[in-house]
């Protein structure tokens, strides 16, 4: 399916597959209207090959593609034979199966590259199965709107997910322009900075000239009458240059430090502001570490580029031109011999740095791997000691340490070997000058001062050349950083307020789900056609196995995501129409995994109401059954909870979350497995706190332990994203369906646990 | 199935008493001789990377485990073939025999390979995360789509690829 592409410099890009019109027409002539066709890349023997699933109004068929004009029928099922069509996700691939009256028919296998497409196909097939042949003829298959991957329209490359546009085809000029726009508010300081840098560079160029041509030729060689006077002037000149250079350097350094910090501050603030506005779906698709790296490292990269990089580049170019001009003006013949090795210097520098960079990248990678092992073993030191696995951990560490040792030796030895050779080649240029310049001095066509000046300038001339050989690499790296930061700045939240949102400052609390279908990936629904109503002040219990879709209901109710189909209303108003601020300020949550921010217990309780009085905080903690244990800490409410609440137990954290919710005083309360993972006594305390909390509020509670839902007005039982049962707990028990089975199973389990406890000796 | 195993005990399937076959349509059928037959079962490896031929679980369509086969080689020849064919499909992890081209661009690794299941070009993002060193030169590579590839010993691939991988794993 993929072919190397000249436009992409040999990088393979996918080729879209399609069926020939003639073949489709031939099928339509005999098999009914073609509703959909989908390509698969695995053949019946399980090796890569071309196969097609073709669905018509009468048949579901699989064809093998021999060539673009030659297709062989492999399987054919009429719709009448099919009882059900399913897809099964395997490891690295998937399979579509059709169930018939007597058998299960594996239709075709596909690699994960086509998993999204086939999930859509299976959904369509399930819908089509319920239709008559005539209805199927009118069925329009829309296919997949977003394959989850983006390819560049220009070159066909896969576009990395950290950027919106192809990094290979991107208009570098446009990014550069946009990047420089961020420096625009600081333009005056930047111009001054550049002038100081140029001034400093110009001053830097003078000493070799003064010390060479002037001092040696004019003073020491010429022996003029006022020699001592000129000598003194030269020395004073050199002193003045040094002094001025130092002053320039100090001013420039101080200014660069200020500019750098200001620019980073502005950029980081903008990036963080943009991040906070984005919807949860943005964070679902990206790793926290990757986002952090953009806010920390990429922003720094941009700063280095704008503050140091651009000026450094200018200075290097001007140095090159300046020194070149001075050399040619002093002695064009000698200057020519200095220029000769320049291409070799550029070529060698380019490859040297490229090679060394890769070696050190490998060294850093191994270093981080060794650190990870160290971190692992230090964090898990109790487990290691408890299981007496010190030797094994030592081996593990030794392995990583040895890897690092090898990488370190390779990198350092390569550096130690190659750098002197690079320097050696660079000095070859000066040997030319020594020989030719020295000959000229002997012949009297050049002066000693000229030769010394040349020798001093040569080193400075090759420096910028080395820098310029790496300019593309440096520029690409900076622009890539810029792209990553811009991607955050440009990202648009999926969930946005309506243009004129309805304000609901006092929610009553009627909640209604109407035929809601939703999937985090649109093609893969987690909830299907879910409908229920909770009246203001009622408690709804949501019951189901893990992964059934319970937490998704909560995510939708908080409007972290919008439904794909159907709607959710609060007090009869569509959630999408209500100002998000009004929803979030009146919906409170107590989650299974309580997140506590760095700070004191008091600050964490008052998170949703920072201006809460001490009395309010203590009262909330009392209602949450948290007051007693908080006051037993030496620092009471001022106890610092530490990172992720490490010093508090699960039950203690949970009660802080309840106190937080109490203080928040939401109209709609969400409890997500709030009492799981705690012991029975703690559960009782939490349950008491929750019972107080839910009074007079609409509550949606998810619980694993069904006993905690005994006060619910209504329960819904979810299985595979669908409501399979609904009613009051008593109604559902009487019905002896799913809920009854779950309750019985839990009772048997808790009885068994009780008996086990009784059997244990005291 | 009649003798329910105690909690926590493994129910081994006696290789002499069981048979696997394919239905005419291609579903994997499981039979315990003289006792019962299941029209379609799913089988999988407990240790698909370390020991794909041992500890094979057998489940019915409702995800109930019917038992565990200790070693595929204990089964009769016909059953062995069925199980191996099925697992080959279930764990779609082509073995990379050679790499004709490997190119890195903007953090993405573009591979052109020949596998035991035909030629395949694919892209790997975050290579440090998605090229997993299983030890002794063996690699598990996961591409942008979630397809998996196995390399038995990367030292035997072409030298340019070895150098790139050496720096990574």
């Amino acid at each position: 399916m993929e072919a190397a592409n000249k436009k992409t410099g040999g990088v393979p890009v996918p080729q879209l597959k399609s069926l020939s019109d003639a073949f489709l027409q031939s099928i339509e002539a005999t098999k009914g209207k073609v509703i959909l066709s989908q390509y698969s890349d695995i053949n019946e023997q399980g090796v890569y090959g071309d196969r097609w699933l073709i669905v018509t109004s009468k048949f579901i068929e699989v064809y093998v593609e021999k060539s673009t004009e030659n297709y062989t029928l492999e399987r054919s099922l009429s719709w009448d034979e099919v009882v059900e069509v399913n897809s099964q996700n395997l490891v690295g691939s998937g399979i579509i199966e059709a169930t018939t009256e007597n058998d299960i028919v594996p239709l075709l296998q596909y690699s994960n590259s086509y998993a999204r497409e086939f999930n859509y196909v299976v959904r369509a097939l399930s819908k089509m199965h319920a239709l008559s042949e005539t209805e199927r003829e009118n069925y329009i298959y829309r296919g997949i709107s977003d394959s989850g991957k983006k390819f560049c329209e220009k070159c066909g490359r896969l576009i990395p997910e950290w950027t919106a546009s192809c990094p290979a085809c991107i208009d570098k000029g446009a990014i550069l322009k946009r990047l420089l726009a961020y420096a625009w508010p600081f333009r005056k300081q930047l111009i001054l900075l550049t002038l100081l840098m140029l001034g400093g560079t110009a001053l830097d160029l003078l000493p070799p000239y003064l010390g060479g041509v002037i001092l040696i030729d004019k003073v020491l060689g010429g022996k003029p009458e006022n020699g001592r006077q000129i000598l003194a002037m030269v020395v004073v000149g050199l002193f003045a240059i040094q002094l001025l250079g130092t002053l320039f350097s100090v001013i420039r350094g101080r200014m660069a430090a200020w500019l750098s910090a200001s620019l980073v501050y502005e950029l980081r603030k903008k990036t963080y502001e943009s991040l906070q506005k984005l919807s949860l779906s943005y964070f679902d698709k990206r790793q926290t570490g990757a986002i952090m790296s953009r806010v920390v490292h990429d922003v720094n990269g941009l700063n280095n580029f704008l503050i140091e990089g651009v000026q450094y580049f200018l200075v290097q170019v001007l140095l090159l031109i300046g020194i070149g001009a001075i050399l040619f003006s002093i002695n064009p013949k000698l200057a020519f011999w200095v220029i000769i090795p320049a291409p070799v210097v550029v070529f060698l520098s380019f490859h040297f740095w490229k090679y060394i960079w890769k070696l050190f990248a490998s060294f850093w990678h191994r270093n981080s791997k060794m650190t990870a092992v160290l971190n692992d073993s230090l964090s898990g030191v109790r487990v290691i000691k408890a299981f007496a696995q010190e030797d094994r951990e030592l081996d593990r560490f030794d392995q990583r340490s040895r890897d690092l040792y090898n990488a370190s030796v390779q990198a350092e030895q390569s550096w130690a070997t190659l750098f002197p050779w690079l320097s050696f080649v660079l000095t070859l240029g000066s040997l030319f000058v020594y020989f030719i310049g020295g000959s000229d001095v002997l012949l009297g066509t050049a002066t000693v001062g000229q030769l010394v000046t040349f020798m001093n300038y040569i080193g400075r001339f090759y420096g910028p050349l080395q820098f310029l050989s790496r300019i593309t690499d440096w520029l690409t790296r900076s622009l890539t950083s810029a792209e990553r930061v811009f991607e955050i700045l440009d990202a648009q939240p999926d969930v946005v307020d309506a243009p004129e949102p309805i304000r609901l400052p006092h929610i009553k609390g009627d909640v209604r789900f109407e035929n809601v279908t939703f999937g985090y990936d649109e093609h893969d629904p987690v909830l299907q056609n879910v409908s229920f109503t909770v009246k203001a002040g009622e408690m709804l219990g949501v019951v189901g196995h893990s992964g059934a879709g319970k937490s998704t209901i909560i995510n939708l109710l908080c409007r972290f995501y919008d439904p794909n189909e159907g709607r959710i209303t609060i007090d009869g108003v569509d959630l999408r129409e209500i100002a998000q601020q009004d929803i979030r300020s009146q919906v409170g949550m107590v989650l299974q995994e309580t997140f506590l921010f760095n700070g004191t217990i008091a600050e964490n309780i008052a998170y949703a109401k920072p201006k809460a009085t001490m009395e309010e905080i203590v009262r909330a903690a009392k209602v949450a059954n948290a007051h007693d244990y908080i006051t037993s800490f030496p620092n009471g409410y001022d106890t610092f909870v530490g990172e992720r609440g490490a010093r508090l137990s699960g039950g203690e954290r949970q009660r802080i979350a309840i106190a937080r919710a109490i203080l928040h005083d939401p109209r709609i309360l969400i409890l997500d497995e709030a009492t799981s993972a705690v012991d029975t006594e703690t559960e009782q305390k939490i349950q008491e706190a929750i019972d107080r909390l839910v009074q007079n509020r609409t509550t949606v509670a998810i619980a694993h332990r069904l006993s905690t839902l005994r006060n619910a007005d209504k329960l819904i039982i979810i299985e595979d994203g669908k409501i399979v049962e609904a009613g009051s707990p008593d109604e559902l028990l009487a019905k002896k369906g799913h809920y009854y089975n779950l309750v019985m199973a839990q009772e048997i389990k808790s009885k068994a646990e009780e008996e086990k406890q009784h059997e244990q000796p005291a | 199935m009649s003798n329910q195993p105690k909690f926590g005990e493994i129910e081994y399937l006696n290789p002499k008493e069981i048979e696997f076959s394919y239905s005419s349509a291609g579903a994997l059928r499981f039979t315990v001789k003289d006792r019962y037959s299941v029209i379609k079962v799913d089988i999988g490896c407990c240790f698909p990377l370390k020991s794909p031929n041992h500890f094979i679980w057998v489940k019915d369509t409702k995800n109930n485990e019917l038992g565990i086969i200790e070693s595929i080689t204990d089964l009769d020849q016909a059953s062995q073939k069925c199980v191996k064919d099925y697992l080959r499909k279930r764990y779609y992890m082509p073995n990379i025999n050679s790499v004709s081209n490997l190119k890195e661009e903007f953090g993405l690794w573009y591979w052109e390979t020949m596998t035991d299941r035909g030629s395949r070009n694919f892209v790997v993002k975050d290579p440090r995360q998605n090229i997993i060193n299983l030890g002794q030169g063996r690699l598990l590579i996961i591409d942008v789509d979630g397809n998996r590839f196995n390399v038995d010993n990367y030292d035997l691939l072409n030298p340019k690829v070895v150098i790139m991988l050496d720096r990574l794993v």
Side-chain angles (χ1 to χ4, degrees):
Chain A
M1 68 164 268
E2 289 166 2
N5 188 324
K6 277 186 185 169
K7 279 193 287 183
T8 62
V11 166
V13 295
Q15 308 289 306
L16 285 178
K17 299 288 281 186
S18 60
L19 285 166
S20 74
D21 289 343
F23 175 60
L24 284 172
Q25 279 163 12
S26 73
I27 287 188
E28 293 220 324
T30 53
K31 306 279 176 73
K33 189 183 168 198
V34 174
I35 316 293
L36 68 90
S37 59
Q38 177 58 53
Y39 172 81
S40 159
D41 52 353
I42 298 178
N43 71 19
E44 195 166 19
Q45 288 71 45
V47 301
Y48 293 122
D50 302 318
R51 280 210 287 184
W52 288 89
L53 177 79
I54 298 179
V55 179
T56 71
S57 52
K58 291 178 180 167
F59 295 94
I60 301 175
E61 299 192 319
V62 177
Y63 286 85
V64 179
E65 182 181 318
K66 305 269 184 191
S67 70
T68 46
E69 294 300 326
N70 184 4
Y71 302 87
T72 316
L73 180 64
E74 196 175 69
R75 280 183 198 279
S76 180
L77 285 175
S78 80
W79 276 103
D80 298 336
E81 291 176 81
V82 175
V83 177
E84 198 184 10
V85 183
N86 279 313
S87 65
Q88 194 189 347
N89 291 330
L90 306 175
V91 181
S93 72
I95 198 162
I96 283 201
E97 293 172 330
T99 308
T100 63
E101 282 293 333
N102 312 314
D103 214 337
I104 295 170
V105 185
L107 284 171
L108 91 169
Q109 193 177 3
Y110 48 87
S111 81
N112 274 359
S113 302
Y114 294 93
R116 293 167 74 93
E117 283 82 350
F118 274 103
N119 278 330
Y120 260 82
V121 167
V122 168
R123 277 172 69 189
L125 289 178
S126 300
K127 284 181 186 163
M128 285 160 74
H129 184 252
L131 305 176
S132 68
E133 190 185 325
T134 332
E135 285 170 327
R136 272 198 292 272
E137 277 179 8
N138 296 324
Y139 184 86
I140 296 167
Y141 176 66
R142 295 190 199 282
I144 190 162
S145 54
D146 166 24
S147 70
K149 285 171 286 178
K150 292 176 288 176
F151 293 95
C152 174
E153 284 178 6
K154 224 168 164 185
C155 71
R157 275 186 179 87
L158 178 74
I159 299 176
E161 53 199 29
W162 49 260
T163 170
S165 39
C166 175
C169 301
I170 200 153
D171 181 356
K172 291 192 169 62
I175 303 185
L176 206 58
K177 212 170 143 189
R178 186 172 170 190
L179 199 51
L180 292 173
Y182 282 96
W184 186 246
F186 304 102
R187 58 192 177 282
K188 284 181 192 158
Q189 291 87 345
L190 274 172
I191 290 170
L192 188 60
L193 200 65
T194 312
L195 288 176
L196 284 168
M197 208 177 221
L198 290 177
T201 311
L203 287 173
D204 233 19
L205 287 179
L206 285 175
Y209 190 76
L210 282 176
V213 177
I214 303 291
L215 188 69
I216 296 174
D217 289 351
K218 302 265 161 56
V219 182
L220 304 176
K223 294 188 176 146
E225 282 179 14
N226 54 347
R228 288 181 79 84
Q229 206 178 339
I230 298 175
L231 180 67
M233 278 168 68
V234 169
V235 172
V236 169
L238 283 171
F239 170 77
I241 287 167
Q242 293 285 2
L243 184 68
L244 211 57
T246 308
L247 277 175
F248 275 22
S249 172
V250 169
I251 299 170
R252 195 185 67 82
R254 288 180 66 88
M255 195 169 236
W258 174 81
L259 257 180
S260 175
S262 309
L263 196 73
V264 167
Y265 170 75
E266 286 297 326
L267 263 176
R268 207 166 271 158
K269 199 169 93 176
K270 278 194 177 126
T271 317
Y272 189 70
E273 269 171 13
S274 185
L275 269 180
Q276 287 294 333
K277 281 182 199 149
L278 291 169
S279 312
L280 273 188
S281 55
Y282 180 88
F283 299 93
D284 290 345
K285 289 173 196 156
R286 289 160 180 84
Q287 292 176 333
T288 315
I291 299 175
M292 278 177 63
S293 164
R294 293 188 201 189
V295 179
V296 180
H297 299 300
D298 286 331
V299 165
N300 263 344
L302 293 195
N303 165 59
N304 292 341
F305 173 77
L306 287 172
I307 302 297
E308 298 289 338
V310 175
Q311 299 157 61
Y312 192 66
F313 169 73
L314 277 176
V315 166
Q316 296 298 309
V317 171
L318 288 173
L319 258 182
L320 203 65
I321 297 170
I323 296 176
I326 293 173
L327 293 182
F328 272 95
S329 71
I330 298 173
N331 188 329
K333 188 185 156 196
L334 264 186
F336 173 75
W337 282 104
V338 174
I339 300 281
I340 288 285
V344 183
V345 171
V346 171
F347 177 82
L348 285 179
S349 302
F350 175 76
H351 287 283
F352 169 77
W353 287 109
K354 201 172 160 188
Y355 179 68
I356 286 290
W357 173 259
K358 280 186 178 168
L359 286 184
F360 276 95
S362 167
F363 167 75
W364 293 319
H365 172 54
R366 283 167 197 219
N367 192 28
S368 71
K369 276 189 155 182
M370 192 199 70
T371 315
V373 170
L374 193 61
N375 183 33
D376 229 24
S377 58
L378 291 178
S379 318
V381 69
R382 280 167 204 274
V383 183
I384 296 169
K385 295 220 170 284
F387 289 93
Q389 294 296 316
E390 289 92 341
D391 289 344
R392 200 171 92 175
E393 288 305 316
L394 194 64
D395 284 346
R396 212 155 72 97
F397 182 76
D398 188 53
Q399 176 66 38
R400 293 292 178 210
S401 192
R402 194 164 287 278
D403 283 349
L404 178 65
Y405 161 82
N406 290 334
S408 164
V409 168
Q410 199 192 0
E412 294 292 349
Q413 285 190 338
S414 299
W415 172 266
T417 312
L418 294 174
F419 191 70
W421 283 109
L422 182 73
S423 307
F424 170 74
V425 174
L426 292 183
T427 56
L428 289 182
S430 57
L431 293 183
F432 277 123
V433 175
Y434 265 124
F435 182 73
I436 292 162
S439 305
D440 286 354
V441 172
L442 290 175
L443 290 170
T445 50
T447 65
V448 178
Q450 282 178 353
L451 186 62
V452 173
T453 308
F454 261 75
M455 296 319 298
N456 281 329
Y457 277 128
I458 282 177
R460 292 167 196 235
F461 183 71
Y462 290 144
L465 274 183
Q466 282 194 61
F467 168 76
L468 293 174
S469 72
R470 286 178 287 136
I471 188 88
T472 337
D473 191 34
W474 170 71
L475 199 62
T476 309
R477 226 186 288 269
S478 302
L479 293 184
T480 310
S481 282
E483 259 293 274
R484 280 199 276 254
V485 174
F486 292 158
E487 195 260 344
I488 293 182
L489 293 175
D490 296 343
Q492 292 298 323
D494 293 339
V495 176
V496 285
D497 266 342
E500 284 179 28
I502 297 170
R503 301 305 309 254
L504 284 183
H506 303 292
I507 287 176
K508 212 171 105 217
D510 287 328
V511 174
R512 195 176 161 85
F513 272 55
E514 294 173 20
N515 301 317
V516 170
T517 296
F518 172 77
Y520 296 98
D521 277 328
E522 205 182 325
H523 70 279
D524 192 11
V526 181
L527 291 182
Q528 290 182 54
N529 239 352
V530 169
S531 299
F532 62 82
T533 309
V534 197
K535 289 193 185 122
E538 272 188 356
M539 179 176 183
L540 172 82
V542 186
V543 179
H545 295 291
S546 331
K550 303 185 300 280
S551 297
T552 306
I553 290 182
I554 284 173
N555 286 338
L556 291 177
L557 182 55
C558 296
R559 215 191 157 206
F560 291 146
Y561 306 87
D562 282 333
N564 303 133
E565 289 167 31
R567 66 174 202 151
I568 301 163
T569 62
I570 290 181
D571 297 350
V573 184
D574 193 321
L575 214 54
R576 284 171 285 215
E577 301 295 324
I578 307 172
Q580 287 185 65
Q581 178 59 27
D582 288 345
I583 302 171
R584 306 267 157 83
S585 63
Q586 293 176 81
V587 175
M589 278 198 262
V590 180
L591 303 177
Q592 184 179 15
E593 175 80 4
T594 306
F595 188 86
L596 298 181
F597 291 94
N598 269 330
T600 64
I601 290 179
E603 283 164 357
N604 267 289
I605 293 177
Y607 186 72
K609 193 180 178 187
K611 287 183 181 165
T613 62
M614 282 189 276
E615 188 192 349
E616 283 176 315
I617 292 172
V618 174
R619 191 179 290 154
K622 272 192 165 270
V623 179
N625 270 349
H627 177 73
D628 289 345
Y629 82 79
I630 294 174
T631 47
S632 70
F633 293 140
N635 290 329
Y637 282 82
D638 291 331
T639 303
F640 188 76
V641 294
E643 197 183 24
R644 279 186 155 255
R647 295 180 206 174
L648 299 169
S649 74
E652 288 167 347
R653 287 206 301 268
Q654 198 67 273
R655 279 176 277 169
I656 289 183
I658 294 171
R660 188 191 277 169
I662 289 166
L663 202 55
H664 180 36
D665 193 20
R667 289 304 308 138
I668 298 172
L669 176 69
I670 289 164
L671 304 171
D672 189 356
E673 309 266 21
T675 58
S676 65
V678 289
D679 58 70
T680 321
E681 198 186 329
T682 314
E683 187 197 337
Q684 270 175 2
K685 283 186 181 161
I686 294 176
Q687 194 56 48
E688 263 176 38
I690 287 176
D691 289 346
R692 291 177 201 141
L693 177 62
V694 300
Q695 280 167 22
N696 303 319
R697 301 176 211 276
T698 305
T699 305
V700 177
I702 293 177
H704 223 68
R705 297 186 191 175
L706 300 175
S707 57
T708 56
L709 295 177
R710 62 181 184 274
N711 294 333
D713 298 288
K714 196 176 171 189
L715 296 175
I716 53 173
I717 319 296
I718 308 246
E719 250 177 42
D720 293 332
K722 292 174 193 153
I723 296 182
V724 289
E725 234 172 45
S728 72
D730 291 342
E731 281 169 7
L732 294 182
L733 277 177
K735 205 174 166 188
K736 296 205 169 177
H738 292 83
Y739 178 68
Y740 176 83
N741 292 337
L742 284 170
V743 171
M744 288 301 122
Q746 280 202 355
E747 275 187 11
I748 292 168
K749 197 180 158 198
S750 42
K751 268 186 192 163
E753 277 171 10
E754 268 176 36
E755 280 168 18
K756 211 173 158 190
Q757 277 177 354
H758 288 150
E759 279 170 20
Q760 282 170 356
Chain B
M1 285 234 294
S2 56
N3 300 326
Q4 282 292 323
K6 278 187 190 166
F7 182 75
E9 256 179 37
I10 297 171
E11 188 183 12
Y12 287 109
L13 296 167
N14 184 344
K16 305 284 175 249
E17 288 179 4
I18 58 172
E19 267 176 11
F20 289 92
S21 58
Y22 280 108
S23 72
S24 54
L28 184 66
R29 185 189 286 267
F30 171 65
T31 307
V32 179
K33 286 173 200 163
D34 304 327
R35 284 169 64 195
Y36 66 93
S37 187
V38 183
I39 185 169
K40 184 187 181 287
V41 288
D42 188 15
I43 57 174
C45 309
C46 290
F47 307 99
L49 296 175
K50 269 200 169 157
S51 190
N53 290 330
H54 297 95
F55 283 86
I56 309 297
W57 50 257
V58 183
K59 290 181 184 176
D60 66 14
T61 46
K62 287 183 177 160
N63 211 27
N64 298 316
E65 189 172 290
L66 305 175
I68 280 183
I69 305 161
E70 206 172 349
S71 171
I72 293 178
T73 49
D74 297 337
L75 296 169
D76 65 70
Q77 287 299 317
S79 296
Q80 255 189 63
K81 188 176 178 330
C82 286
V83 168
K84 281 183 180 169
D85 285 351
Y86 187 89
L87 290 177
R88 189 175 140 83
K89 269 191 181 179
R90 194 178 199 289
Y91 295 91
Y92 205 82
M93 194 160 77
N95 199 52
I96 295 176
N97 295 330
S98 64
V99 180
S100 53
N101 191 19
L102 174 58
K103 201 175 165 79
E104 185 191 1
E105 257 195 11
F106 308 105
L108 299 174
W109 285 34
Y110 293 82
W111 297 71
E112 287 176 54
T113 67
M114 179 52 75
T115 75
D116 59 345
R117 306 200 195 200
S119 70
R120 184 77 170 184
N121 299 342
F122 56 90
V123 187
V124 174
K125 66 173 183 182
D126 297 333
R128 295 201 193 286
Q129 304 274 334
N130 292 308
I131 300 179
I132 300 158
N133 186 358
L134 300 174
Q136 288 160 347
R138 195 176 164 204
L139 301 178
L140 168 66
I141 302 172
I142 303 169
D143 78 359
V144 283
D145 295 317
N147 296 309
R148 292 158 165 254
F149 301 90
N150 180 67
V151 177
D152 276 335
N153 185 356
Y154 77 85
D155 277 332
L156 304 178
L157 298 175
N158 90 42
K160 187 189 150 197
V161 176
V162 175
I163 291 172
M164 281 180 78
L165 287 168
D166 259 342
R167 284 174 197 148
L168 192 79
V169 295

